Amino acid sequence: MWATARRMASHRTFTSPALKFELVAQCSVRMTCTTRARASILTLPHGIVNLPIFMPVATQASLKGLTPEQLEATNCRLCLNNTYHLGLKPGQEVLDAIGGAHKLQGWNHNILTDSGGFQMVSLLKLANVTEEGVRFLSPHDGSPMLLTPEHSISLQNSIGSDIMMQLDDVIVTTCPDKVRMREAMERSVRWLDRCIAAHKKPESQNLFCIIQGGLDLDMRRECVRQMLARDTPGIAIGGLSGGEAKDDFCKVVAACTELLPDLKPRYVMGIGYPEDLVVSVALGADMFDCVWPTRTARFGNAITKHGVLNMKREIYATDFGPIEDGCGCPCCRPVDQEGAMGVTRAFVHHNAAKETVAAHLLTLHNVWYQLDLMRRAREAIIQDRFPAFVKEFFANLYPDSSKYPSWAVDALRGVGIDLLET
Amino acid sequence: MTVDNQDSGSPAMRFEILKALKDGAAARVGRLAFAGRLPIDTPNFIAITSRGAVPHITPDNAEKHLKTTGAYMALEDFIERPQQYLKRTPPIYQASTTPKHPTRLHSFTATPPSVTTILSARRLPAVPAPMGNTTNAVSVFTSTGFQSLTTTEYHSAVEALRPDIAIPLADLTHTTTTPNSKRALRMAERTDEWTVEWFSALSNSNVSTFAPVLPIPYSIQWEYISRLAEDYLPTGQLAGLALYDADVLPDLESHSPSLLPLPRLAFTNPPTPHHILRQISLGIDLFTLPFLNQISDAGLALSFTFPAPPDSKDMPGPQPLAIDLSHPTHATSLLPLSPTTTNCACYACTSHHRAYIHHLLHAREMLGWTLLQIHNHAVISSFFAGVRATIAEGGADALEQATKRFATVYEADFPEGMAERPRARGYQFKSVGGGEGKRNKPAWGKLGGNEDGNGEGKTEERGGEEEDGIVKAVEEMAVEEKEGR
């Protein structure tokens, strides 16, 4: 307790107009733990967020069937909205008339928005990137449209998100074209300058840069240096989770975090598998987002510490246990506790793919699991037992240690955790 | 007629009539209470579940926000036989009970213990079965298709699940057409036989039996009804009546007055609140309202109160019974879901606004239907509270006046509701002759690339149309590209 208190007293803090970042604990400064994992407190315009954190994705200003009240009850204090989707529905005019996305969805905590660039590339096959912006066909009438850094920022200003992302030139990391990759990286830097210039509310909204450069570590390092020179309040590592090998993913994250300053939040975009989260925390990342936990819930899948369970399988038809034993979510927590529903696997099985309620229940459970995983990682970092946490996490997931994914073993060995050591 | 401490048969149930407007079949206020459940003040309604859940409402939201303390469950929602597991025992029969979930029905469906459960064989409304019923079984429609449910199977289901109220099997056609007199007679005879069988088989005294009263003239089912009155009322086995047609009540009043103190539950499918008011005046105590779930799916927010609000100059002409929130006029409206005159205090009205629901309907986000369900159940709940207060404080004249006024202030029917509906499932609907067409436009086109369901267009467009837009645009581009090369 005293040791913790002493550490708390010596927090190092970074402040910018709309953000405060306090580093609470760090593995790498201690002899017992050599990973780059960090625990910190991020203060945003809509309240405090403890890092590391997983941010569930409320694509169209709604977390897939959960009421904002239910989302709040999972202890979520920062969720995502997608600029591309909100730009189409309800549209910028409506957002301006209502007074932003917080007011639209009745969510009084923090919101992070992406730039819309990723959807241009992932959803619209015929998008074309030029120096001016992303050209695409309007899904409304097929007419050519242009998303520029200025337009993206203007939309995000209308949304009023606490954290906005710059428009970046996203190409798949596995793209073999080095010239195009360099062009994308350098263009992303130029677009950041345009985003900063277009940003109208720096006192109430934070703009994060996005590091690009594909899988080329030198290009990534160069991008980091150029982005850091622009001094944004937070830094994102982008372009990943696009089908690259996990080894490469880890190398990129590690190469970037090595160069990043301690006192700024680091956001790895688009990752959400529990293993990826835990390894990325060890590599020094703080923030993550992904639609997978909520999407897989709608397919009837529950995330548990022993892996993903498909509730549609017949074996769960007469399984009257909770979705996950020991889980504290409103579905699973013991029935004598406050707010417990007493939902069984059998009930979820009964309604999976049949009633929306089953999807809502699994969404609630999965979001809770992801947030709780990061909360426990944070506790472990603060209590100086993060390596033990990581080992326990993998032991739960893979009963047989020979099945550990080699990318995770290698990545963790690089930061001083030997998963296979007994 | 004021009957205090009415013991209507089952030791687990108590029905008190607090005030009746006249002897017999007329509006009355009462209180229906089951051991361990929250009492239900009548006239009132109970929520209809689908597969054990009020559609779109998770159990935590049901407990916190749904202003109803009863849940109707259909056995056919729980006894499907999946192709590969034809022999399996329905899982619900193996559910375990806990202090929080005192019956298998509560525990399997995670229904809070405060909620009174009603078990019947068929969903409300039921999909008509092509093969009809037999002498000892009814046809039910499960998620894996039609199957027959024998009387003995149903009895053991009731014993195992222990609902607070059980409805014995009735020989019903589930069609809107009136059965011919020959069919009607057979309905009465079979239901009579099944009821005799029911009472001799049922041993669980915690289950209260509400005997079905058939939607056929009293003259055809009088034998059956007098058996209920003479054989099962005195023994205390008959706890209430389940009416499939409220217009049988005046005949009951004249021919079997001994049945009148029993609580009356209606499976009459009233299409509007005007019909509810009429049936209340006939003496219905407890309603099931299939229109509620349908209204929410249609993107409509109920907007009436009882008694109707005083006349105001801003609101000329008949008022709508519900507001279509998919209408573009609500796109930027920060008003609560129903007009401020209704003072709705539901979670949806206090925490959200029309613009959000409009957006959610437009984006086909499931939360829209959740919030509408919460709101619509709250409006109906206040409606019944208003009816009870009018009867208790005013009496017959006041109720009649207020009902008349309600009919002039509000429109006769619900608006259509232009929003796209949630995806329909097989166990909810059955193609009748084929060729009805799809209710929703297809979510995906040929050359999508929009796997997230994201073919959306601009705000002023109605849902669905723009999806054709994107597919068309992409197809056109693809053609151009090919030609270019």
Side-chain angles (χ1 to χ4, degrees):
Chain A
M1 231 12 245
W2 284 110
T4 312
R6 235 187 353 263
R7 278 205 303 277
M8 303 283 274
S10 61
H11 289 178
R12 292 187 295 148
T13 306
F14 161 79
T15 315
S16 83
L19 172 154
K20 190 167 102 179
F21 182 84
E22 291 172 74
L23 197 57
V24 177
Q26 215 172 346
C27 272
S28 51
V29 297
R30 290 179 218 134
M31 298 303 285
T32 47
C33 173
T34 54
T35 75
R36 297 184 194 154
R38 312 120 52 80
S40 51
I41 301 169
L42 182 64
T43 310
L44 292 167
H46 285 84
I48 286 177
V49 176
N50 288 331
L51 307 186
I53 189 183
F54 175 79
M55 303 176 285
V57 185
T59 305
Q60 314 196 70
S62 148
L63 195 95
K64 298 301 171 192
L66 300 195
T67 63
E69 188 188 52
Q70 283 175 304
L71 182 59
E72 194 177 21
T74 64
N75 299 321
C76 173
R77 293 295 177 267
L78 171 56
C79 74
L80 252 80
N81 280 177
N82 286 105
T83 299
Y84 166 82
H85 294 88
L86 293 192
L88 288 175
K89 291 175 184 179
Q92 188 162 19
E93 281 168 34
V94 171
L95 285 165
D96 284 335
I98 290 173
H102 291 88
K103 199 142 181 222
L104 172 70
Q105 61 204 295
W107 175 249
N108 297 323
H109 303 292
N110 298 293
I111 294 176
L112 182 151
T113 44
D114 65 348
S115 63
F118 182 72
Q119 271 75 27
M120 292 295 142
V121 182
S122 72
L123 298 179
L124 304 175
K125 278 191 179 150
L126 301 167
N128 184 19
V129 184
T130 67
E131 187 58 30
E132 209 183 347
V134 186
R135 281 191 184 284
F136 64 102
L137 295 173
S138 159
H140 165 45
D141 55 8
S143 62
M145 291 176 77
L146 182 68
L147 179 73
T148 60
E150 291 76 19
H151 185 210
S152 171
I153 294 300
S154 157
L155 264 173
Q156 296 187 67
N157 278 154
S158 291
I159 291 171
S161 45
D162 302 275
I163 298 176
M164 320 194 295
M165 302 308 298
Q166 71 156 110
L167 184 70
D168 54 347
D169 184 357
V170 190
I171 47 176
V172 282
T173 45
T174 47
C175 174
D177 185 347
K178 285 253 173 196
V179 180
R180 173 73 186 94
M181 193 63 86
R182 171 156 287 278
E183 183 194 40
M185 184 275 274
E186 288 172 348
R187 180 174 287 148
S188 295
V189 177
R190 290 193 295 273
W191 281 3
L192 174 61
D193 290 332
R194 285 169 61 187
C195 285
I196 293 172
H199 184 11
K200 290 207 180 62
K201 300 175 184 167
E203 71 297 338
S204 61
Q205 290 183 270
N206 297 287
L207 175 63
F208 281 23
C209 65
I210 304 175
I211 293 162
Q212 290 291 348
L215 302 178
D216 183 331
L217 301 186
D218 287 330
M219 213 190 289
R220 285 275 177 183
R221 288 188 189 107
E222 189 186 334
C223 190
V224 170
R225 275 189 293 275
Q226 295 202 38
M227 291 291 186
L228 286 183
R230 270 91 182 156
D231 197 26
T232 55
I235 298 138
I237 302 172
L240 294 171
S241 78
E244 71 278 350
K246 291 281 176 88
D247 281 317
D248 293 331
F249 162 82
C250 294
K251 278 181 195 144
V252 169
V253 173
C256 293
T257 55
E258 196 173 17
L259 298 176
L260 293 177
D262 277 350
L263 292 182
K264 278 189 184 175
R266 306 155 175 183
Y267 164 28
V268 180
M269 302 179 78
I271 70 160
Y273 293 137
E275 300 100 298
D276 299 9
L277 296 184
V278 170
V279 171
S280 300
V281 168
L283 296 178
D286 305 316
M287 302 163 70
F288 315 94
D289 79 286
C290 191
V291 297
W292 172 76
T294 43
R295 178 175 296 173
T296 206
R298 300 197 295 285
F299 299 156
N301 293 318
I303 311 173
T304 74
K305 63 169 176 278
H306 299 297
V308 175
L309 309 177
N310 185 344
M311 288 292 134
K312 289 195 281 191
R313 292 180 61 196
E314 182 66 18
I315 48 167
Y316 301 118
T318 52
D319 187 336
F320 298 105
I323 299 168
E324 179 182 10
D325 257 325
C327 169
C329 87
C331 302
C332 301
R333 69 179 67 145
V335 285
D336 49 356
Q337 283 180 21
E338 174 76 20
M341 283 188 258
V343 166
T344 60
R345 288 175 172 181
F347 185 56
V348 175
H349 170 89
H350 179 68
N351 276 329
K354 293 199 171 71
E355 281 295 328
T356 58
V357 163
H360 302 339
L361 292 172
L362 285 176
T363 303
L364 205 53
H365 169 83
N366 286 356
V367 167
W368 177 282
Y369 176 87
Q370 298 282 96
L371 295 178
D372 189 56
L373 179 66
M374 290 295 96
R375 188 186 57 74
R376 285 185 289 123
R378 186 174 194 275
E379 263 172 27
I381 297 165
I382 293 175
Q383 293 167 2
D384 205 7
R385 50 173 182 80
F386 183 67
F389 168 82
V390 174
K391 284 179 186 170
E392 191 195 332
F393 170 80
F394 275 94
N396 276 327
L397 210 48
Y398 301 94
D400 177 359
S401 64
S402 66
K403 299 268 167 56
Y404 284 178
S406 59
W407 64 269
V409 174
D410 293 344
L412 289 169
R413 189 174 289 136
V415 290
I417 297 180
D418 187 355
L419 274 187
L420 300 174
E421 168 197 76
T422 43
Chain B
M1 180 184 74
T2 305
V3 185
D4 280 321
N5 304 337
Q6 187 78 41
D7 190 336
S8 296
S10 138
M13 187 194 91
R14 196 177 134 107
F15 180 58
E16 288 176 78
I17 297 165
L18 303 169
K19 179 174 182 181
L21 293 186
K22 73 176 179 68
D23 282 352
R28 59 189 186 182
V29 285
R31 170 169 278 207
L32 183 61
F34 293 86
R37 315 279 172 264
L38 277 178
I40 301 172
D41 290 319
T42 63
N44 215 327
F45 78 111
I46 51 168
I48 298 176
T49 68
S50 173
R51 303 187 63 79
V54 178
H56 312 300
I57 302 289
T58 47
D60 54 342
N61 278 337
E63 192 162 15
K64 246 191 261 173
H65 300 308
L66 215 58
K67 308 276 185 252
T68 171
T69 50
Y72 176 92
M73 313 245 185
L75 185 65
E76 67 182 354
D77 276 346
F78 300 97
I79 54 170
E80 60 257 33
R81 298 192 194 113
Q83 193 92 71
Q84 297 108 317
Y85 309 97
L86 285 173
K87 292 270 159 64
R88 81 168 189 191
T89 311
I92 191 170
Y93 298 145
Q94 300 157 54
S96 49
T97 60
T98 64
K100 165 127 184 173
H101 296 115
T103 71
R104 287 202 175 96
L105 202 53
H106 280 95
S107 128
F108 188 78
T109 59
T111 300
S114 59
V115 173
T116 303
T117 53
I118 290 120
L119 185 75
S120 184
R122 306 289 324 260
R123 291 168 64 90
L124 280 178
V127 175
M131 56 284 203
N133 304 328
T134 62
T135 48
N136 64 352
V138 295
S139 283
V140 295
F141 188 39
T142 70
S143 67
T144 53
F146 287 100
Q147 64 193 49
S148 72
L149 173 70
T150 65
T151 49
T152 38
E153 274 170 337
Y154 186 62
H155 297 160
S156 51
V158 169
E159 296 277 356
L161 301 182
R162 255 188 56 210
D164 297 309
I165 298 175
I167 316 297
L169 287 186
D171 184 23
L172 296 165
T173 56
H174 299 291
T175 53
T176 45
T177 50
T178 337
N180 62 39
S181 56
K182 198 174 150 201
R183 177 74 181 94
L185 190 61
R186 195 165 70 221
M187 284 167 70
E189 282 170 1
R190 273 188 191 159
T191 308
D192 191 10
E193 277 169 37
W194 291 347
T195 306
V196 172
E197 202 184 318
W198 167 276
F199 281 117
S200 61
L202 191 72
S203 61
N204 196 324
S205 60
N206 285 320
V207 176
S208 301
T209 299
F210 278 43
V213 176
L214 300 168
I216 53 175
Y218 179 82
S219 56
I220 303 180
Q221 56 179 330
W222 71 271
E223 258 178 303
Y224 160 62
I225 288 173
S226 43
R227 184 193 306 280
L228 292 178
E230 284 156 25
D231 293 1
Y232 301 112
L233 186 65
T235 60
Q237 287 167 286
L238 182 66
L241 298 177
L243 295 117
Y244 290 87
D245 181 358
D247 286 308
V248 183
L249 276 170
D251 289 320
L252 280 190
E253 178 183 359
S254 36
H255 300 289
S256 303
S258 61
L259 293 174
L260 292 174
L262 295 179
R264 305 157 192 156
L265 169 65
F267 298 130
T268 49
N269 195 4
T272 69
H274 303 296
H275 295 80
I276 298 176
L277 287 171
R278 181 176 167 273
Q279 295 183 12
I280 288 173
S281 72
L282 287 172
I284 297 293
D285 298 306
L286 203 50
F287 287 85
T288 49
L289 302 172
F291 75 72
L292 257 186
N293 295 339
Q294 291 158 10
I295 286 280
S296 302
D297 281 357
L300 299 171
L302 295 182
S303 58
F304 55 83
T305 56
F306 190 91
D311 283 319
S312 92
K313 288 184 188 99
D314 334 328
M315 303 192 299
Q319 298 299 306
L321 287 171
I323 297 171
D324 183 356
L325 289 179
S326 69
H327 196 273
T329 49
H330 304 299
T332 56
S333 167
L334 298 180
L335 293 171
L337 275 57
S338 57
T340 36
T341 49
T342 58
N343 280 328
C344 183
C346 79
Y347 166 69
C349 281
T350 50
S351 303
H352 298 284
H353 42 68
R354 292 183 190 183
Y356 190 39
I357 314 286
H358 175 82
H359 164 71
L360 294 171
L361 290 171
H362 222 268
R364 283 178 61 71
E365 281 284 340
M366 294 177 284
L367 180 60
W369 302 310
T370 303
L371 294 176
L372 282 169
Q373 281 282 63
I374 289 171
H375 170 76
N376 289 337
H377 280 76
V379 169
I380 283 286
S381 182
S382 312
F383 169 85
F384 278 105
V387 170
R388 289 194 301 272
T390 306
I391 299 171
E393 290 154 23
D397 285 345
L399 181 67
E400 203 186 319
Q401 298 269 321
T403 303
K404 271 197 187 133
R405 214 180 109 61
F406 189 87
T408 54
V409 170
Y410 291 106
E411 287 170 359
D413 287 309
F414 290 117
E416 176 72 26
M418 299 307 288
E420 276 197 70
R421 313 305 201 250
R423 190 153 21 142
R425 302 290 183 185
Y427 53 87
Q428 297 163 329
F429 301 97
K430 187 74 197 160
S431 167
V432 185
E436 292 104 331
K438 296 229 165 100
R439 205 168 52 158
N440 286 333
K441 299 212 169 74
W444 292 283
K446 244 199 313 195
L447 232 175
N450 47 344
E451 58 261 60
D452 216 15
N454 290 314
E456 292 110 342
K458 279 198 181 159
T459 42
E460 67 273 18
E461 282 296 306
R462 279 211 289 111
E465 281 180 6
E466 61 270 34
E467 309 206 327
D468 299 339
I470 187 179
V471 172
K472 218 170 134 198
V474 171
E475 276 173 352
E476 274 166 15
M477 263 313 273
V479 170
E480 273 170 36
E481 215 176 35
K482 241 188 238 166
E483 283 167 352
R485 276 174 203 156

